Amino acid sequence: MYNSQLWKTFWNFIVHHYDGEKEDLVKINVPKSKSLEAACLALDVGYRHVDTAYAYQVEEEIGQAIQSKIKAGVVKREDLFITTKLWCGCFRPELVKPALEKSLKNLQLDYVDLYLIHYPVPMKPGDNESPLDENGKFLLDTVDFCDTWERLEECKDAGLVKSIGVSNFNHRQLERILNKPGLKYKPVCNQVECHLYLNQSKLLDYCESKDIVLVAYGALGTQRYKEWVDQNSPVLLNDPVLCDVAKKNKRSPALIALRYLIQRGIVPLAQSFKGNEMRENLQVFGFQLSPEDMKTLDGLNKNFRYLPAEFLVDHPEYPFVEEY
Ligand SMILES: NC(=O)c1ccc[n+]([C@@H]2O[C@H](COP(=O)([O-])OP(=O)(O)OC[C@H]3O[C@@H](n4cnc5c(N)ncnc54)[C@H](OP(=O)(O)O)[C@@H]3O)[C@@H](O)[C@H]2O)c1
């Protein structure tokens, strides 16, 4: 049984990867060796919650890091909370279990703790994670994610995954799963972009009312990769109000940005390749923000999205047209 309180006490490290030979959606300028190194370092410094995805193309390195740290006695499998995600090209019901099995093989695991539908938007299946038409537009598909969900339920029953959830779903899309006839398991979480500039208060209220945990990505203002993020967008950690609250509390802006989410009952993900930042981010459990500071930070919300996933915008299930 999924235990959200327990999960909230875990922390997270995430590693993205760049495959220098492949032109694709997840092209990010990070060599695989750096991802492996960062994953090992994160386990060494105490991280136990890993958020990855098939689309990040780094599951193999995560698997290598986990196995080496288990062998070295640094961690036990049962101490880890491993999340991975079903890519949009594998929504057709017959593709779901094989996709999870592929991720498990990459990760060298018998099960993952959490498996998420990465986006509510299906893409055409195929070898390429980002199938394009002759005009360079993504080839989108018409599978109903409720049918995909049923296969995730079967994967849970088969013991391949402990809990199942979604990512980037708006409240109407969550509602469709919750109202699906014959629903066996509710999504345990919805992982969405959430930070001081996009505080997701309405989606959070909705999720809380349904006992769904909101997991925040982009909590530190994202990695600002130029392929994904408008380089003119404001740098979250440089925000003057955030910096004032940080100074007052004698903590870094990053710690304040993470603590703000935790105090609202949100599970923040925090990505870093640097040991000093990883160690610093673990200190988020060691202090509290006053109600006054929380109110000041609430005031920074401007419903600003760093990662609008424009590559999916033509699909009727594109999630970010809804207010929440
Ligand atoms: N479900 C989805 O669709 C989705 C989408 C995006 C992301 N995610 C998940 O969420 C994770 C995190 O989101 P994100 O990658 O967008 O980035 P993020 O966690 O918001 O920000 C990462 C950036 O913050 C910096 N940073 C970390 N700790 C810091 C500190 N203590 N002080 C100053 N800077 C610090 C990192 O710098 P360095 O790199 O220099 O260390 C990195 O550039 C991802 O890795 C992924 O697992 C999910």
Side-chain angles (χ1 to χ4, degrees):
M1 179 72 189
Y2 170 76
N3 179 334
S4 65
Q5 281 313 317
L6 178 67
W7 186 32
K8 279 180 192 177
T9 66
F10 285 135
W11 198 241
N12 157 280
F13 75 92
I14 314 103
V15 194
H16 274 176
H17 135 77
Y18 164 59
D19 179 340
E21 285 132 43
K22 244 168 130 185
E23 272 294 316
D24 66 30
L25 196 66
V26 287
K27 179 174 172 181
I28 290 166
N29 196 11
V30 178
K32 280 196 170 223
S33 58
K34 195 174 167 195
S35 300
L36 174 60
E37 201 182 300
C40 288
L41 180 58
L43 291 170
D44 280 338
V45 303
Y47 286 78
R48 297 294 178 260
H49 174 194
V50 182
D51 184 86
T52 187
Y54 179 77
Y56 304 162
Q57 297 178 32
V58 74
E59 288 174 327
E60 287 180 28
E61 286 68 31
I62 300 279
Q64 286 164 24
I66 291 170
Q67 288 311 317
S68 77
K69 294 300 159 188
I70 289 176
K71 277 195 193 109
V74 174
V75 287
K76 296 194 189 94
R77 170 64 184 97
E78 58 269 31
D79 297 335
L80 298 172
F81 191 98
I82 314 289
T83 303
T84 194
K85 309 186 190 92
L86 177 76
W87 186 236
C88 306
C90 301
F91 275 31
R92 294 187 185 180
E94 69 280 10
L95 299 179
V96 174
K97 191 167 174 233
L100 174 55
E101 286 168 339
K102 177 90 183 1
S103 287
L104 289 172
K105 190 168 174 234
N106 289 341
L107 289 161
Q108 302 184 49
L109 297 175
D110 301 330
Y111 69 92
V112 282
D113 297 272
L114 181 61
Y115 198 44
L116 307 180
I117 297 183
H118 203 147
Y119 283 94
V121 182
M123 278 185 194
K124 290 273 185 237
D127 292 338
N128 191 338
E129 276 104 53
S130 24
L132 303 174
D133 68 13
E134 61 280 6
N135 301 316
K137 287 205 148 203
F138 281 94
L139 288 165
L140 302 173
D141 206 354
T142 53
V143 190
D144 182 345
F145 56 67
C146 285
D147 295 338
T148 310
W149 185 257
E150 285 178 10
R151 294 307 168 106
L152 260 71
E153 290 176 326
E154 288 171 18
C155 290
K156 176 171 158 59
D157 283 338
L160 299 177
V161 51
K162 299 274 186 209
S163 296
I164 51 180
V166 296
S167 178
N168 296 302
F169 276 48
N170 63 41
H171 81 286
R172 283 189 201 283
Q173 292 166 328
L174 283 171
E175 194 111 306
R176 277 198 6 238
I177 292 198
L178 295 174
N179 292 337
K180 188 186 86 58
L183 180 76
K184 198 163 181 191
Y185 303 115
K186 288 192 324 185
V188 296
C189 74
N190 186 21
Q191 184 184 122
V192 293
E193 179 175 338
C194 180
H195 44 72
L196 288 159
Y197 290 160
L198 179 69
N199 76 15
Q200 298 278 21
S201 57
K202 288 189 179 170
L203 186 61
L204 178 62
D205 286 348
Y206 175 82
C207 286
E208 281 180 348
S209 75
K210 306 291 178 190
D211 199 21
I212 293 172
V213 175
L214 197 146
V215 179
Y217 70 75
L220 298 170
T222 79
Q223 297 174 70
R224 298 185 68 87
Y225 287 120
K226 64 179 185 324
E227 296 85 352
W228 292 83
V229 175
D230 177 356
Q231 298 299 294
N232 296 317
S233 60
V235 177
L236 187 93
L237 297 183
N238 289 350
D239 185 280
V241 174
L242 170 63
C243 291
D244 279 352
V245 174
K247 204 168 164 192
K248 184 179 145 199
N249 284 274
K250 299 190 174 62
R251 312 277 165 170
S252 69
L255 272 180
I256 303 295
L258 295 174
R259 184 71 210 177
Y260 170 73
L261 297 175
I262 287 183
Q263 280 185 221
R264 295 171 64 227
I266 294 168
V267 175
L269 306 176
Q271 184 280 339
S272 178
F273 289 104
K274 297 177 186 142
N276 62 327
E277 288 179 352
M278 289 181 196
R279 285 187 195 88
E280 176 179 56
N281 294 344
L282 284 173
Q283 292 167 23
V284 72
F285 301 111
F287 72 104
Q288 267 206 311
L289 292 167
S290 67
E292 188 196 26
D293 286 339
M294 288 297 288
K295 206 163 161 220
T296 304
L297 295 169
D298 279 340
L300 289 178
N301 182 52
K302 44 187 163 188
N303 295 323
F304 174 77
R305 200 178 283 283
Y306 286 102
L307 294 165
E310 278 159 350
F311 60 100
L312 299 175
V313 80
D314 292 334
H315 198 281
E317 294 287 7
Y318 178 71
F320 307 138
V321 281
E322 281 291 327
E323 185 194 356
Y324 68 100

